[in-house]
Amino acid sequence: MFLFTILLCLPVIGNDSCEYLLSSGRFLGEKVWQPHSCMMHKYKISEAKNCLVDKHIAFIGDSRIRQLFYSFVKIINPQFKEEGNKHENIPFEDETASVKVDFLWHPEVNGSMKQCIKVWTEDSVAKPHVIVAGAATWSIKIHNGSNEALSQYKMNITSIAPLLEKLAKTSDVYWVLQDPVYEDLLSENRKMITNEKIDAYNEAAVSILNSSTRNSKSNVKMFSVSKLIAQETIMESLDGLHLPESSRETSAMILMNVCCNKILKPVDGSCCQPRPPLTLIQKLAACFFTLSIVGYLIFYIIHCNAHRKNKPCTDLESGEEKKNIISTPVSPLEILLQSFCKLGLIMAYFYMCDRANLFMKENKFYTHSSFFIPIIYILVLGVFYNENTKEFLPVYMHIRVLVAAYLFQTGYGHFSYFWIKGDFGIHRVCQTYSIWASSCKNKAECNELHPSVSVIQLFICQYHIWLAADTRGVLVLIPGNPMLNIMVSTFIFVCVAHEISQITNDLAQIIIPKDNSSLLKRLACIAAFFCGLLILSSIQDKSRH
Ligand SMILES: *[C@@H]1O[C@H](CO)[C@@H](O)[C@H](O)[C@H]1NC(C)=O
Ligand SMILES: *[C@@H]1O[C@H](CO)[C@@H](O)[C@H](O)[C@H]1NC(C)=O
Ligand SMILES: *[C@@H]1O[C@H](CO)[C@@H](O)[C@H](O)[C@H]1NC(C)=O
Ligand SMILES: *[C@@H]1O[C@H](CO)[C@@H](O)[C@H](O)[C@H]1NC(C)=O
């Protein structure tokens, strides 16, 4: 019961991960970018082409936008050379997928840029599907950082804002905020580009383009994450202005995630993904468990009433022990319902963690502490369980599973991807139970099997509530504090595993009868039930494609 209070009290964090992807994150180690709260997918050439087929993407702006353009195109075609004329438009077209990506050289927000955008608003054929725009440093440079230029910039942005807003109704429009510079490295003719000026220009752009009008949020999205990336990496820049290759690639990959996650829905790319619809099996399971919970509650209330009637006599004889004796006899049906009730709650929690995008997920990143702390912690929890409940909890099994799990994930990542890909959430668990149930005939044998079953349960549990998105990431219950997060999710993990092993024990005692003939009958029923489920799910799969 303690466990369930925790589950119910957990904060529900369901925010738009797209906004997080565009505006926040941190570096894990040297090169891996971790958006706040969600997982980024690394797009391969084929996936990129698949998503962008028949699309037209336009990058419009200065030399830093050109860099972003090059990195983006290299996701589609790594052979593309950065040798276009510096101050001219650069086209790219992939014949096989008919993807068109253009770079349009408009280093200033002036009449020329406005004209270009205006043409798009008037001609729906020429209008790109995705527009990535940004400019400011050029203006700072040619006006020698004057304040008049800043007020002109504000005026010019104000005049293109309605056009961008209009485009954003049907296309994706991103305004790229200016990255900081590394002032020490800047050449003499760029010395006027200071971070102070850049901040002022960014502020101007945000206040005009990101303002909410008439209670509705602006449709032009601010691409501010490249600013954060640049803050960490601009020191490695060659000229103090242009970013090193790796950070440009990260920005391009973020752009790719923003555009493609909602289309391709990769398992390990939880950023920007809408919630998957409920499958029929999930709905059926929800109904079943809800009924069990209702049934159990009815039993519980009846039981309470009966207990209240008995109360005076127990009180008279003033025996705590006697009370216990009276309340212990429970019918198998009640145990059954109670087990299903608990199982249902755990399943609901699995679902919330795994599929519903309620909790945030982050990419896995190995550090020694993130490996050893859970192990030590589980040891401590194991001791706690042993002392408090006097029950055998296979602590050493936990550790072996942890180690095995890590080996499994690193070495056999690809294998596990195919093996557990898809919507196996509920019937994966059921299948394991049925295998186990069919391999054990009576209770003594079941108890012997118990430790190995715990291993299987742990193995399944970890997929849902500790790791996320089919082992590709880690679940985040407490954002911003990885250590505490490991602690809490490990604790819940152990509690749930413990509960599940108890539930299976209870269920096994009821479902698996002593004599062989009725056992066979029940097994046949169970087998038929799972066959039915499998057929249902395969029918659904087909109808979805
Ligand atoms: C806009 O700026 C670009 C680059 O500085 C320049 O070539 C172009 O002539 C300008 N257009 C107008 C209308 O001022
Ligand atoms: C603003 O637009 C005008 C008109 O095209 C242009 O002459 C001027 O250079 C622009 N100023 C800035 C700072 O972009
Ligand atoms: C640019 O501005 C700086 C100070 O703001 C000034 O010292 C410098 O002389 C100016 N350069 C030109 C070419 O106007
Ligand atoms: C844009 O506005 C939204 C709310 O309207 C805000 O949450 C977001 O932080 C703003 N973006 C930037 C880059 O300031």
Side-chain angles (χ1 to χ4, degrees), residues 19 177 206 210 212 217 222 224:
E19 230 158 72
L177 292 186
V206 168
N210 198 30
S212 341
K217 252 168 57 181
M222 294 285 127
S224 56

Side-chain angles (χ1 to χ4, degrees), residues 5-187:
T5 33
I6 296 185
L7 295 191
L8 294 177
C9 296
L10 279 172
V12 173
I13 311 154
N15 227 322
D16 185 3
S17 57
C18 233
E19 230 158 72
Y20 287 140
L21 181 62
L22 288 175
S23 64
S24 57
R26 63 180 195 276
F27 270 104
L28 302 173
E30 292 266 303
K31 294 248 162 78
V32 186
W33 181 255
Q34 171 65 64
H36 178 65
S37 86
C38 65
M39 295 190 299
M40 229 168 83
H41 179 65
K42 198 164 172 4
Y43 275 89
K44 296 193 206 65
I45 301 169
S46 57
E47 289 171 317
K49 283 187 181 170
N50 208 355
C51 158
L52 297 176
V53 67
D54 291 333
K55 290 260 161 67
H56 179 199
I57 296 145
F59 289 76
I60 173 166
D62 56 13
S63 57
R64 286 150 133 194
I65 298 289
R66 185 177 59 222
Q67 287 191 313
L68 188 58
F69 159 79
Y70 276 127
S71 296
F72 189 82
V73 167
K74 279 181 183 170
I75 300 175
I76 307 166
N77 180 0
Q79 271 83 47
F80 193 67
K81 294 274 180 305
E82 298 192 23
E83 53 196 17
N85 205 331
K86 279 222 147 121
H87 295 168
E88 272 174 25
N89 298 349
I90 305 165
F92 167 83
E93 197 160 359
D94 186 279
E95 305 279 310
T96 52
S98 71
V99 185
K100 234 173 96 188
V101 189
D102 283 326
F103 169 70
L104 304 169
W105 169 250
H106 285 287
E108 270 196 284
V109 186
N110 63 9
S112 313
M113 186 192 259
K114 184 174 175 182
Q115 185 55 33
C116 174
I117 293 172
K118 193 146 186 267
V119 168
W120 288 336
T121 59
E122 286 160 0
D123 180 359
S124 60
V125 180
K127 186 174 68 182
H129 298 92
V130 180
I131 297 160
V132 182
T137 44
W138 190 272
S139 306
I140 302 177
K141 187 179 152 190
I142 61 172
H143 294 102
N144 194 19
S146 72
N147 285 334
E148 295 87 75
L150 178 59
S151 49
Q152 265 188 29
Y153 181 79
K154 279 183 192 160
M155 268 163 48
N156 292 1
I157 291 233
T158 311
S159 80
I160 64 161
L163 298 175
L164 287 178
E165 196 62 28
K166 192 173 169 200
L167 282 175
K169 288 209 174 77
T170 46
S171 305
D172 290 332
V173 180
Y174 302 100
W175 183 265
V176 182
L177 292 186
Q178 291 297 308
D179 303 333
V181 292
Y182 192 52
E183 292 173 13
D184 299 353
L185 269 183
L186 287 177
S187 62

Side-chain angles (χ1 to χ4, degrees), residues 72 93 225 264 342 416 522:
F72 189 82
E93 197 160 359
V225 65
L264 295 189
K342 281 193 208 165
S416 73
R522 282 194 197 180

Side-chain angles (χ1 to χ4, degrees), residues 216-266:
S216 62
K217 252 168 57 181
S218 102
N219 291 314
V220 178
K221 297 180 193 95
M222 294 285 127
F223 195 83
S224 56
V225 65
S226 69
K227 216 173 76 179
L228 292 178
I229 296 172
Q231 259 160 21
E232 306 280 330
T233 56
I234 192 71
M235 282 84 80
E236 296 152 31
S237 161
L238 295 177
D239 57 6
L241 180 67
H242 297 103
L243 288 176
E245 183 123 13
S246 66
S247 27
R248 295 154 44 185
E249 279 164 7
T250 307
S251 292
M253 201 49 92
I254 289 174
L255 207 52
M256 202 73 199
N257 271 263
V258 170
C259 296
C260 289
N261 277 8
K262 51 185 186 277
I263 298 169
L264 295 189
K265 301 192 174 68

